Amino acid sequence: MVERFLRYSLERERKICVVLLSGGAMKKTNLQVTSLDADGAGFTARLPGRKRDVHLSTADVLTAAYARGDQGELE
């Protein structure tokens, strides 16, 4: 299910809400996926307040959902 939301964000250029596990703590954040690794082990995302994209591991994503105000409708 996480991969589906990552692809959704990449293909539609929309933000998604994710819960990340980093350093033993959970963190909820909105992000926009800018690229996926070919092997699916990681992805590059734009986080709010950052000037550069960051690379994250797919294994660190505990869950993903539509960002607030997005219902996932096709336009």
Side-chain angles (χ1 to χ4, degrees):
M1 186 62 101
V2 170
E3 292 84 12
R4 177 181 170 268
F5 278 104
L6 295 176
R7 279 194 315 272
Y8 169 82
S9 177
L10 178 64
E11 292 169 358
R12 294 197 169 71
E13 298 179 356
R14 299 259 182 132
K15 289 184 179 179
I16 57 173
C17 179
V18 298
V19 177
L20 298 169
L21 184 63
S22 60
M26 293 187 294
K27 180 181 176 186
K28 180 181 174 186
T29 188
N30 289 331
L31 57 82
Q32 181 180 346
V33 177
T34 55
S35 69
L36 293 170
D37 292 352
D39 60 0
F43 62 96
T44 305
R46 185 168 300 126
L47 297 171
R50 299 235 180 158
K51 295 184 187 233
R52 292 186 181 180
D53 292 350
V54 295
H55 188 267
L56 301 167
S57 172
T58 306
D60 290 342
V61 179
L62 300 177
T63 189
Y66 296 112
R68 185 174 186 171
D70 187 3
Q71 301 299 319
E73 295 139 355
L74 299 175
E75 280 114 18

